[in-house]
């Protein structure tokens, strides 16, 4: 069964307030539309994802999802129903057996919800995810209650709504001819006489409608992040020279640190801590010391690369903690400068970076002033891995 997805994103998001339409706004660091699209691209039952956008939104679309494997977007209409119809017309050449029609404004779509909708389509021409109504429902007018509406048999409808493709396309064409307007696609299937199977929806697949919804959705997503801690350790030996670079800050000294790059032990330990938190190898596997391009390189690029790897996974760094271990140079006078420089490299508030220093009471190689050691811990929040 070939199943395509149609994501409608041609609305103006007026209830979410002025400015960028809601589907293009960032939600916990990722555009709403990108989250919706990725949920389906990642699902094995989905053959293709087609997005419908408003005329004039091409640039916003490119910025949000331009790098993903998607066909060019289709231009929608002034009403959602029109956007869906135009999208279905555009999908016709692909001859899918089924289509899942989804609001771009519902950025969180658990794979299990897609599974339920797809499974129901094996037996029914249409599948509608719903949630029970738990509050007492009342009718009212002009501030006065007109009585309770029994909530048995009442449900809240969500998307993705699944349909057999030829039936929903025919229903949309007929509705257009007869000037019929409904609020969603399941309603059109019913109007056309097809039974609609109810499946369990998902609370997290809420539609973002207002600014307050952004806040709630963001809080939910952050709550779902899992915390990882990574550690890093590095040592560089002293050699002849007149200064060292520690934490990206140049410090005059009667020796220098030797190493392939700028030998910044602090940034190397931090880079390994960040990579460790995401299980992504170590500094040597990303920047092999055998590669001449890293000779004398400034180590801030290693750390910012590691930070980018976290961001690419949809994660964020919560805290960095560094300990420098040396007798000399004295770290105290440059501690704040190092802290600020690390925060700058990682695009973090200074409050999320800690820099400490200690001697080893003249014991061992650091005590003999043969070199400097650094150890670091990174606390990272990551989206949990998809269930296998
Ligand atoms: N939609 C669409 N074409 C339209 C109107 C809506 O593709 N002419 C899409 C929206 O982009 C959204 C989904 O349909 O993903 C659900 O609509 P809604 O939540 O009402 O979004 P907007 O219409 O953008 O918001 P508002 O009604 O507040 O302006
Ligand atoms: Mg609308």
């Amino acid at each position: 069964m070939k199943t395509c997805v149609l994501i409608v994103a041609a609305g103006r998001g007026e209830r979410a307030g002025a400015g960028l339409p809601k589907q293009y706004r960032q939600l916990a660091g990722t555009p709403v539309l990108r989250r919706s699209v990725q949920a389906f691209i990642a699902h094995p039952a989905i053959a293709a994802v087609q997005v419908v956008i408003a005329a004039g939104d091409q640039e916003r679309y490119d910025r949000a999802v331009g790098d993903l494997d998607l066909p060019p977007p289709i231009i929608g209409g002034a009403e959602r129903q029109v956007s869906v119809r135009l999208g279905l017309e555009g999908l016709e050449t692909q001859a899918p057996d089924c289509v899942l029609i989804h609001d771009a404004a519902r950025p969180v779509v658990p794979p299990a919800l897609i599974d339920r909708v797809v499974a129901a389509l094996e037996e029914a021409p249409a599948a509608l995810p719903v949630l029970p109504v738990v509050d007492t429902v009342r009718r009212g007018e002009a501030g006065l209650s007109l009585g309770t509406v029994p909530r048995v048999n009442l449900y809240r409808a969500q998307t993705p709504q699944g349909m057999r493709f030829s039936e929903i396309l025919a229903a949309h064409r007929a509705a257009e001819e007869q000037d019929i307007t409904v609020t969603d696609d399941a309603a059109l299937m019913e109007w056309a006489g097809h039974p609609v199977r109810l499946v369990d929806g998902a609370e997290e697949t809420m539609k973002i409608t207002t600014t307050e919804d952004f806040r709630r959705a963001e809080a939910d997503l952050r709550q779902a992040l899992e915390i990882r801690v990574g550690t890093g350790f590095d040592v560089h030996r002293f050699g002849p020279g007149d200064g060292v670079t520690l934490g990206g800050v140049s410090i005059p000294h009667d020796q220098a640190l030797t190493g392939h790059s700028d030998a910044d032990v602090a940034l190397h330990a931090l880079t390994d801590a960040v990579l460790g938190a995401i299980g992504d190898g170590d500094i040597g596997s990303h920047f092999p010391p055998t590669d001449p391009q890293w000779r004398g390189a400034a180590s801030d690029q290693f750390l910012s690369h590691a930070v980018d790897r976290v961001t690419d996974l949809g994660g964020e760094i919560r805290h960095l903690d560094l300990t420098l271990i040396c007798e000399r140079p004295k770290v105290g006078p440059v501690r704040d400068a190092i802290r600020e420089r690390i925060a700058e490299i990682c695009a973090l508030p200074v409050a999320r970076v800690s820099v400490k220093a200690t001697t080893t009471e003249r014991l061992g190689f650091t005590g003999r002033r043969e070199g400097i050691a650094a150890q670091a811990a990174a606390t990272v929040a990551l989206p949990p891995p998809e269930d296998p």
Side-chain angles (χ1 to χ4, degrees):
M1 194 167 78
K2 179 174 176 183
T3 303
C4 291
V5 173
L6 189 66
I7 297 184
V8 281
R12 298 293 76 202
E14 266 153 27
R15 285 169 291 175
L20 199 59
K22 59 189 179 184
Q23 62 271 36
Y24 298 111
R25 283 192 215 159
Q26 303 279 324
L27 179 67
T30 305
V32 169
L33 173 63
R34 189 179 182 87
R35 287 181 180 276
S36 321
V37 167
Q38 276 179 322
F40 291 99
I41 287 184
H43 197 285
I46 303 306
V49 177
Q50 174 68 60
V51 182
V52 179
I53 65 170
D57 275 355
Q58 180 74 45
E59 234 169 74
R60 292 163 167 169
Y61 173 88
D62 288 340
R63 239 177 288 130
V65 293
D67 59 321
L68 301 181
D69 184 19
L70 293 170
I74 291 169
I75 303 301
E79 304 298 331
R80 184 187 184 281
Q81 189 173 325
V82 179
S83 296
V84 173
R85 179 170 50 78
L86 294 172
L88 293 172
E89 301 278 4
L91 270 181
E92 202 183 10
T93 52
Q94 299 212 31
D97 300 299
C98 291
V99 60
L100 308 190
I101 303 172
H102 183 67
D103 294 332
R106 297 179 191 269
V108 182
V109 191
L113 174 59
I114 300 173
D115 290 342
R116 290 196 286 275
V117 173
V118 168
L121 286 175
E122 300 277 350
E123 290 151 22
L128 170 67
V130 293
L131 291 169
V133 173
V134 290
D135 294 319
T136 292
V137 180
R138 278 188 185 271
R139 204 186 300 281
E141 209 179 282
L144 266 189
S145 172
L146 300 178
T148 303
V149 181
R151 66 165 180 254
V152 264
N153 302 340
L154 282 190
Y155 293 97
R156 296 178 283 148
Q158 296 189 305
T159 75
Q161 301 184 357
M163 325 271 157
R164 299 246 170 93
F165 185 78
S166 47
E167 279 88 337
I168 186 64
L169 178 56
H172 266 278
R173 284 175 174 159
E176 202 227 343
E177 253 168 41
Q178 297 172 46
D179 210 9
I180 298 290
T181 307
V182 293
T183 58
D184 66 7
D185 304 284
L188 261 192
M189 286 296 271
E190 281 170 340
W191 172 76
H194 303 292
V196 175
R197 174 73 56 93
L198 300 182
V199 303
D200 287 339
E203 234 16 285
E204 60 267 46
T205 309
M206 63 180 264
K207 191 175 67 151
I208 293 186
T209 304
T210 63
T211 306
E212 166 64 13
D213 293 338
F214 268 96
R215 202 197 51 71
R216 265 183 43 206
E218 194 141 327
D220 287 353
L221 283 169
R222 281 190 200 284
Q223 180 100 39
L225 296 178
E226 65 177 39
I227 301 298
R228 305 266 195 95
V229 174
T231 66
F233 179 74
D234 195 34
V235 172
H236 280 274
R237 178 192 293 275
F238 278 127
D242 56 6
V244 298
T245 304
L246 287 181
V249 174
S250 300
I251 305 164
H253 189 53
D254 55 8
Q255 286 178 301
L257 289 172
T258 60
H260 193 71
S261 64
D262 64 1
D264 189 331
V265 280
L267 296 190
H268 295 180
L270 283 165
T271 303
D272 267 358
V274 172
L275 292 174
I278 57 174
D280 190 5
D282 61 18
I283 190 168
S285 58
H286 288 263
F287 305 97
T290 49
D291 187 338
Q293 69 169 307
W294 309 122
R295 178 176 294 279
S299 296
D300 56 350
Q301 58 190 310
F302 304 154
L303 182 54
S304 58
H305 172 79
V307 173
D308 287 347
R309 304 284 287 196
V310 174
T311 318
D312 289 347
L313 292 171
E316 61 185 27
I317 293 179
R318 291 281 168 86
H319 188 248
L320 295 174
D321 186 19
L322 170 73
T323 304
L324 284 161
I325 305 162
C326 60
E327 302 287 332
R328 287 284 183 278
K330 285 261 172 231
V331 174
V334 286
R335 195 157 83 125
D336 286 342
I338 292 176
R339 197 175 173 212
E340 278 162 27
R341 179 66 190 128
I342 292 169
E344 183 181 45
I345 295 166
C346 301
L348 286 173
V350 175
R352 291 187 184 270
V353 177
S354 153
V355 175
K356 316 188 299 301
T358 184
T359 69
T360 49
E361 297 288 335
R362 300 201 200 142
L363 295 170
F365 69 86
T366 54
R368 293 188 297 271
R369 303 191 189 181
E370 291 165 7
I372 300 182
Q375 64 183 35
T379 309
V380 167
L382 274 190
E386 292 273 318
D387 292 336

